[in-house]
Amino acid sequence: MKKGDLILIGIVVIVALAFIVPRWFSDNSSEKNHNENRIVYIEVDGKPYKELPLTEEEQLFTITTDKGFNQIKIHNNGVEMIDADCPDKLCLGFGFVTRPGQQIVCLPHRVSVFIGVDSGEENEIDDVVG
């Protein structure tokens, strides 16, 4: 190895540590406070359908439309789609989402489920199901 290679490796390690180390020293209480005002937003055909609180306790909710049904399960401060009668069932593959901005989409039923933060302002979505 040459001197330039060692310098390059050192720079890569320092940059990687710059992203990892702050997480060790961050205060987890701020994350707990954010959990208190997280909301599960449900849209059907691009229009608001229902808002549910994101909780630790288990909640089951069924979205029924003329296109079919989707069942979501809210638990452990996250949400997942556990059942649907759409033909491809791709919406079940999104898994368990826990962070604001993450979403689950069922295109055949035109259902979108996503996590947002209730800030008292109207929530803007940057997705369109067409």
Side-chain angles (χ1 to χ4, degrees):
M1 284 192 157
K2 296 181 181 176
K3 184 178 179 182
D5 294 335
L6 293 175
I7 291 173
L8 182 61
I9 291 171
I11 290 172
V12 170
V13 168
I14 290 171
V15 169
L17 288 174
F19 287 105
I20 295 172
V21 170
R23 289 184 177 223
W24 290 337
F25 296 110
S26 69
D27 184 14
N28 289 335
S29 64
S30 64
E31 185 174 327
K32 290 177 185 174
N33 291 337
H34 288 299
N35 284 341
E36 293 175 5
N37 58 354
R38 290 184 183 173
I39 302 287
V40 176
Y41 294 97
I42 302 170
E43 289 185 351
V44 176
D45 288 326
K47 297 180 182 111
Y49 180 80
K50 187 85 171 167
E51 294 179 14
L52 300 167
L54 190 63
T55 60
E56 184 74 28
E57 297 82 32
E58 185 176 303
Q59 304 174 57
L60 292 176
F61 186 77
T62 302
I63 305 148
T64 306
T65 66
D66 58 344
K67 295 175 179 71
F69 80 91
N70 296 77
Q71 188 173 35
I72 63 168
K73 181 178 179 181
I74 299 171
H75 61 101
N76 298 334
N77 294 315
V79 63
E80 63 184 322
M81 184 118 14
I82 59 171
D83 196 14
D85 64 348
C86 54
D88 57 10
K89 298 197 184 297
L90 290 176
C91 53
L92 304 180
F94 280 83
F96 185 66
V97 297
T98 59
R99 295 188 178 136
Q102 291 182 317
Q103 64 180 326
I104 301 168
V105 179
C106 180
L107 290 177
H109 294 167
R110 300 175 57 94
V111 172
S112 177
V113 178
F114 60 96
I115 297 176
V117 178
D118 184 18
S119 62
E121 299 176 10
E122 188 172 325
N123 200 22
E124 285 189 28
I125 305 304
D126 61 351
D127 66 342
V128 176
V129 179

